[in-house]
Amino acid sequence: MSGPQVACLRSAFATAALLLLIPAARRNWNLRIFLVAMAYSVTLASFVVANKLTTSANAIFIQDTAPIFIVFLSAVLLRERPSRADFLLMIPLAIGLALFFAGDERAVETASNPALGNLVACAAAVSWSFVIVGFRWLARGSHQDGALQAATLGNLLACIFCLPFVFPLPAARITDWVLLVYLGVFQIGLAYVLMTDAMKYVPAIEASLLLLLEPVLNPIWTWLVWHERPSNLALTGGALILGATLVKAWWGSRLPSQL
């Protein structure tokens, strides 16, 4: 299946799961919820498309440079003043991001157009930064379930936006459909139930940094299963991003929590 087809069907199953399993997800949709959901829908679609075009490691590492944008967005939109450590973190993240575009990666079976995929992943990073800040914005207000509602509406919007590119569907095995259901129900539904609840207690920059732990295993799984190996420059950039994340997370754990 193409990237838009996977994005549409994955979000369709995620929307159904959230609406059926969580009553709060289908109540009180409003303009604030819609604005955050729009950013989330862009993230959902662009990340899947990026995974089809570039290596999965590149897609996740580039998206997870979102703190570069969150530092400024949280200061402007949330009035959360970044610390000196937050600004220092931007240096290795920016260098790591630049390394993904410094080399000339060749196309392979699981990454048909790495250069374009890296650009799409950048779009996912920017939209994801708006999502994290938006979730925090909703959690700080009277919208106690706002992030969950935005995640549900965001999946619905992603499904609608990608729907024109879905048909005709290619022949697919039962296994393919089982994987799509899994991606929608567990990889999106359950994961974001946990994440949106956490946003009530964690500042935007800290939440984004904690989520960066996900890429630690991402290149390992794709290498073991698909023998997909990112370029040396991409691996170096990913190591910089992860290293900076771990240092910042360790340093943040030594300081009092700030809401």
Side-chain angles (χ1 to χ4, degrees):
M1 295 185 183
S2 68
Q5 287 174 328
V6 173
C8 179
L9 295 171
R10 182 182 73 153
S11 287
F13 289 124
T15 303
L18 290 168
L19 289 175
L20 290 173
L21 299 177
I22 308 171
R26 51 183 185 262
R27 294 197 299 261
N28 301 322
W29 290 2
N30 54 37
L31 180 59
R32 281 195 172 198
I33 301 295
F34 179 78
L35 291 174
V36 179
M38 283 289 291
Y40 186 42
S41 68
V42 174
T43 304
L44 289 166
S46 57
F47 181 70
V48 172
V49 172
N51 262 285
K52 285 287 189 177
L53 295 172
T54 189
T55 64
S56 64
N58 282 25
I60 190 69
F61 281 134
I62 292 174
Q63 178 179 301
D64 286 341
T65 58
I68 295 174
F69 312 103
I70 289 175
V71 162
F72 300 102
L73 288 176
S74 60
V76 173
L77 301 179
L78 301 179
R79 298 295 188 268
E80 291 182 353
R81 184 178 180 182
S83 66
R84 181 178 299 178
D86 293 333
F87 282 113
L88 289 175
L89 173 68
M90 299 306 102
I91 298 174
L93 288 185
I95 295 173
L97 178 61
L99 289 176
F100 286 100
F101 296 92
D104 184 20
E105 293 187 76
R106 62 184 180 87
V108 295
E109 182 181 1
T110 57
S112 59
N113 192 335
L116 179 59
N118 290 347
L119 289 175
V120 177
C122 280
V126 174
S127 61
W128 182 237
S129 67
F130 277 96
V131 173
I132 293 293
V133 172
F135 282 177
R136 179 67 174 167
W137 176 47
L138 294 173
R140 284 176 52 179
S142 59
H143 303 75
Q144 292 305 307
D145 296 310
L148 179 59
Q149 293 155 357
T152 305
L153 180 56
N155 274 284
L156 178 60
L157 290 173
C159 178
I160 293 173
F161 294 154
C162 294
L163 193 58
F165 306 99
V166 167
F167 300 101
L169 280 171
R173 302 166 299 174
I174 294 297
T175 305
D176 298 323
W177 288 101
V178 170
L179 287 173
L180 283 169
V181 172
Y182 167 80
L183 289 173
V185 175
F186 292 93
Q187 190 259 333
I188 293 182
L190 179 60
Y192 285 97
V193 167
L194 299 175
M195 190 194 74
T196 53
D197 188 60
M199 291 304 301
K200 301 173 185 177
Y201 312 103
V202 183
I205 185 68
E206 294 296 330
S208 176
L209 291 172
L210 288 171
L211 290 171
L212 286 179
L213 296 177
E214 177 187 4
V216 173
L217 292 176
N218 183 293
I220 297 176
W221 300 139
T222 52
W223 174 68
L224 289 174
V225 176
W226 295 110
H227 307 291
E228 182 180 270
R229 187 184 185 280
S231 67
N232 291 333
L233 285 175
L235 290 174
T236 303
L240 275 173
I241 294 168
L242 288 177
T245 299
L246 294 175
V247 170
K248 180 62 172 63
W250 171 78
W251 181 259
S253 68
R254 295 164 55 89
L255 303 175
S257 176
Q258 296 179 354
L259 294 181

